[in-house]
Amino acid sequence: MPALDAEILARLQFAFTISFHILFPTLTIGLAGFLFIVEARWLRSRDEAYLRLYHFWVRIFALTFGMGVVSGLVLSYQLGTNWSEFSRISGPVLGPLIGFEVLTAFFMEAGFLGVMLFGWDKVGPRLHFMATGLVAFGTTLSSFWILAANSWMQTPQGAHIDPALGSFVPDDWWAIIFNPSFPYRLSHMLVASFLTTAIFIAGVSAFYLLSGKHTLIARRSQSMALWGVLILAPLQIFIGDLHGLNVLEHQPLKVAAMEANWDRQAGAPLLLFAIPDSKAEKNHLEIKIPKGASLILTHDPNGVVPGLKEVAKEDRPPVGVVFWSFRVMVGLGLLFLLIGVWGLYARVKGTLTSNVWFNRLCLIATPTGFAATLAGWFVAEVGRQPYTIYGLLRTADSASPVISATMIATTLAAFLIVYGGLFGAYLYYLVKLIRVGPALAPPEDDADAPEAIRGARPGLVVPEN
């Protein structure tokens, strides 16, 4: 039996825990913005449907926010145990950025979340609306700091390694925060979160429409969500194109892995399908569009695309993971564009809520935004290998020297069990909340609502005007 590799196990453990964690902030970022818009529409119109819509989705927001907090705590501990060298070397730069995120964003979210959830009968409508807005702003601000730190690891600048200290020393905080990839990565992640949430809301709304329950609320939420998809899907494609140009400039090997392009060439083809072979340094079963990769990546059909063979094998990222993750992300992005355009067509034809096939597609697509987000992160993080800080600090030099492979394997197994249980509990309560549906407010009553909850209004307190 081959010996366990501590570095590989540490990478697998961190990949698993951070992939699990990112699912929840993705949804809370988008839901916070959605709740802000819903409450604004309620304040303007005093339409009871928007209030019911808010109270339904805020429960899902609270459940997801709690899961995000719990799953995120583990990450900082891993940096101190499995990746102590990384923490020591990069701490002077990344430590303050993460500290700013906690002080300016997380405290804001956590502080005003209580008002948002429990303040309806304790504060006025406008003060409650301000609390919702601050929570939404806090989620975005949190993304700002986290993406600033992660982007610096991708395109580091504004700091140097002091040989005497053996760690980075900041030179220019403005350059560190606003590093070359930061604007593209921040906008790409925020739009991904909003788009994922819009797809999720459209899917839940489609569930109600197909089952004939809570149709009044479902029509409102579906309409809002699909307007979001229609705007955000093409916007994300545009931002992704700009981000790709930036990656080509600063991380050319990542682009080479995304395209499984082994030799530097002009007029590189776009591979729709291939099986990359890292050992043989070639691809099998290629299905390609001539000059497609050059056209997309450089906006020139004869543009030059870098090749993986330009560097030694040990300096290349894992090609298969990056290649396929990129295609999953792009393919799902095109699906979202289809949903947005089809939704617009159905809206114009007056069949948005009655088109069974369209609503079935929305229902099936409910979790796909999360899959696209994960695929995008796999491209970004695996494509950065073999470095934790691109070009400056290798992953092999970032791992803790005193943690054994057996200890990491044990904790990885524990995480798989515990996180599996947590995720199962989350899905159970999430499905339960969706099955119960929006609270009903007398004297209005949904004729198509289940008898068990007709007239019930759990957690719904209507604020005074």
Side-chain angles (χ1 to χ4, degrees), residues 1-10 12 404-409:
M1 180 177 178
L4 297 175
D5 188 303
E7 180 197 336
I8 295 298
L9 287 171
L12 287 173
S404 68
T406 303
M407 294 174 64
I408 300 174

Side-chain angles (χ1 to χ4, degrees), residues 260 262 275-284 286 309:
W262 298 96
I275 301 177
D277 187 339
S278 296
K279 291 184 178 180
E281 298 183 324
K282 65 178 183 179
N283 302 318
H284 304 287
E286 290 184 345
K309 291 182 182 179

Side-chain angles (χ1 to χ4, degrees), residues 241 268 291-303:
D241 178 65
K291 299 188 177 184
S294 290
L295 179 61
I296 293 174
L297 292 170
T298 68
H299 295 179
D300 180 357
N302 295 311

Side-chain angles (χ1 to χ4, degrees), residues 121-400:
D121 56 345
K122 298 177 177 62
V123 300
R126 288 174 177 78
L127 184 56
H128 187 276
F129 177 62
M130 183 187 75
T132 302
L134 288 173
V135 170
F137 176 71
T139 60
T140 303
L141 186 59
S142 179
S143 303
F144 176 92
W145 291 114
I146 296 299
L147 266 297
N150 186 267
S151 297
W152 181 81
M153 293 165 62
Q154 302 279 348
T155 52
Q157 67 172 23
H160 71 278
I161 295 180
D162 188 328
L165 299 175
S167 63
F168 282 95
V169 175
D171 298 318
D172 184 345
W173 280 106
W174 184 268
I176 289 172
I177 295 171
F178 296 97
N179 56 80
S181 65
F182 171 67
Y184 304 97
R185 291 172 55 78
L186 176 64
S187 56
H188 200 47
M189 182 60 198
L190 287 177
V191 173
S193 298
F194 296 137
L195 182 55
T196 296
T197 303
I199 292 292
F200 183 79
I201 294 172
V204 174
S205 303
F207 168 74
Y208 290 135
L209 292 171
L210 290 169
S211 60
K213 300 174 182 178
H214 310 296
T215 54
L216 173 63
I217 302 300
R219 286 195 295 268
R220 299 288 178 88
S221 57
Q222 185 197 50
S223 178
M224 295 174 67
L226 289 176
W227 277 124
V229 174
L230 180 64
I231 296 170
L232 294 169
L235 177 61
Q236 184 71 318
I237 293 172
F238 173 72
I239 294 174
D241 178 65
L242 296 178
H243 188 22
L245 295 175
N246 179 263
V247 174
L248 178 63
E249 178 182 358
H250 297 281
Q251 296 176 296
L253 283 180
K254 182 185 292 187
V255 170
M258 288 161 53
E259 298 302 328
N261 191 54
W262 298 96
D263 296 293
R264 185 179 185 88
Q265 59 179 314
L270 175 65
L271 300 179
L272 301 179
F273 179 88
I275 301 177
D277 187 339
S278 296
K279 291 184 178 180
E281 298 183 324
K282 65 178 183 179
N283 302 318
H284 304 287
L285 303 177
E286 290 184 345
I287 300 176
K288 56 190 177 182
I289 300 175
K291 299 188 177 184
S294 290
L295 179 61
I296 293 174
L297 292 170
T298 68
H299 295 179
D300 180 357
N302 295 311
V304 177
V305 176
L308 289 159
K309 291 182 182 179
E310 295 178 33
V311 299
K313 287 186 177 183
E314 60 269 20
D315 294 330
R316 301 172 191 169
V319 181
V321 176
V322 179
F323 177 82
W324 281 111
S325 296
F326 181 71
R327 273 142 190 80
V328 169
M329 179 186 66
V330 172
L332 290 175
L334 294 176
L335 172 64
F336 303 152
L337 181 63
L338 170 64
I339 291 174
V341 173
W342 191 356
L344 178 63
Y345 175 78
R347 192 189 299 271
V348 172
K349 300 291 287 186
T351 60
L352 185 61
T353 60
S354 60
N355 190 315
V356 174
W357 287 107
F358 174 70
N359 281 289
R360 285 177 178 172
L361 175 61
C362 290
L363 180 59
I364 294 171
T366 303
T368 54
F370 300 100
T373 300
L374 283 176
W377 274 98
F378 292 162
V379 172
E381 300 307 301
V382 179
R384 183 183 60 202
Q385 295 301 320
Y387 297 98
T388 49
I389 300 177
Y390 193 75
L392 298 177
L393 179 63
R394 298 180 75 91
T395 305
D397 298 325
S398 303
S400 301

